[in-house]
Amino acid sequence: MRRDYTEWPPLLEDSIAADWTSQFAAWFADATAFGLTEPNAMIVATADAAGRPSARTVLLKGYDEAGFVFFTNYASRKGGELAVNAYASLVFPWFGMQRQVIVAGAVERVTRAETEEYFGSRPRGSQLGAWASPQSRVLDGPEAVEAGLAAAVERFGDGPVPAPPHWGGFRVIPVTVEFWQGRSSRLHDRLRFRRSETTWIVERLAP
């Protein structure tokens, strides 16, 4: 189960964008145009207070120079871990293009206004689901979620569904953003933007 990466051009210092946001935008556009399934899917790795890690896949919902934003139940496992250890790593696994983007940085909650704006754009079923499911909790069976959904439907009827107080967004504020391009013989190109006080440094990492 080994594949040699030869289809894509190398990633070189003279061809990378001047800032990580522009480079990410270019690669994200490539991934979308290439037809990758859910190119905004990213692995979010967190750790608890004792340093024990966990990871899961979530969807990126926005990014800019301030960082990468996703939304979740604050009472979920990742929400609980970020409450005591406010650092995370992200991986965009664009394997169809032999690329990855790897991010590391501190995490903060987005403003309540940002959460409510995004929540209002979600399909109604997803809005009700945020009220129905006690994410990451142990359940006796699927009936518990169905009962939670029924209770949410009864509670809100045909009216608007507000964002739950236990639900909202996180922003990963990058300290490093690595762009990884697969190359032949496992000699992959790895260019990393690293924050240094008030500027960003681009450095090449050994494959």
Side-chain angles (χ1 to χ4, degrees):
M1 300 175 69
R2 185 179 183 88
R3 179 181 176 187
D4 201 26
Y5 295 154
T6 58
E7 291 90 342
W8 292 84
L11 179 62
L12 303 176
E13 284 81 350
D14 60 2
S15 63
I16 199 167
D19 57 85
W20 72 260
T21 50
S22 298
Q23 184 64 35
F24 184 83
W27 272 25
F28 189 82
D30 287 347
T32 302
F34 192 75
L36 295 183
T37 301
E38 294 190 303
N40 62 324
M42 60 184 185
I43 299 165
V44 178
T46 57
D48 63 17
R52 293 180 292 257
S54 64
R56 75 290 294 159
T57 302
V58 305
L59 297 179
L60 174 72
K61 291 301 180 180
Y63 72 92
D64 56 24
E65 62 278 359
F68 299 83
V69 174
F70 66 94
F71 292 85
T72 189
N73 187 319
Y74 286 142
S76 65
R77 178 173 180 175
K78 57 185 170 298
E81 291 181 348
L82 289 171
V84 298
N85 188 357
Y87 295 89
S89 182
L90 311 175
V91 179
F92 293 86
W94 294 332
F95 300 133
M97 301 185 70
Q98 302 168 7
R99 287 177 177 174
Q100 301 179 71
V101 179
I102 305 161
V103 180
V107 181
E108 65 180 13
R109 290 190 180 190
V110 305
T111 66
R112 196 63 190 168
E114 289 176 274
T115 287
E116 291 173 352
E117 180 181 7
Y118 170 69
F119 192 84
S121 73
R122 302 183 89 202
R124 186 175 182 83
S126 297
Q127 293 176 337
L128 292 168
W131 286 93
S133 174
Q135 193 176 102
S136 301
R137 304 286 179 83
V138 176
L139 301 177
D140 292 332
E143 298 81 7
V145 174
E146 296 299 328
L149 179 59
V153 170
E154 181 178 1
R155 176 177 181 178
F156 298 110
D158 295 328
V161 181
H166 57 267
W167 192 95
F170 284 111
R171 176 177 289 105
V172 180
I173 307 165
V175 174
T176 59
V177 183
E178 177 186 335
F179 294 89
W180 184 103
Q181 176 68 66
R183 302 294 296 150
S184 181
S185 302
R186 295 299 188 261
L187 298 177
H188 311 305
D189 286 325
R190 302 174 60 192
L191 292 184
R192 181 176 69 182
F193 287 82
R194 177 171 57 85
R195 187 193 300 273
S196 176
E197 297 181 355
T198 60
T199 189
W200 287 86
I201 297 171
V202 177
E203 50 198 5
R204 177 170 290 271
L205 303 179

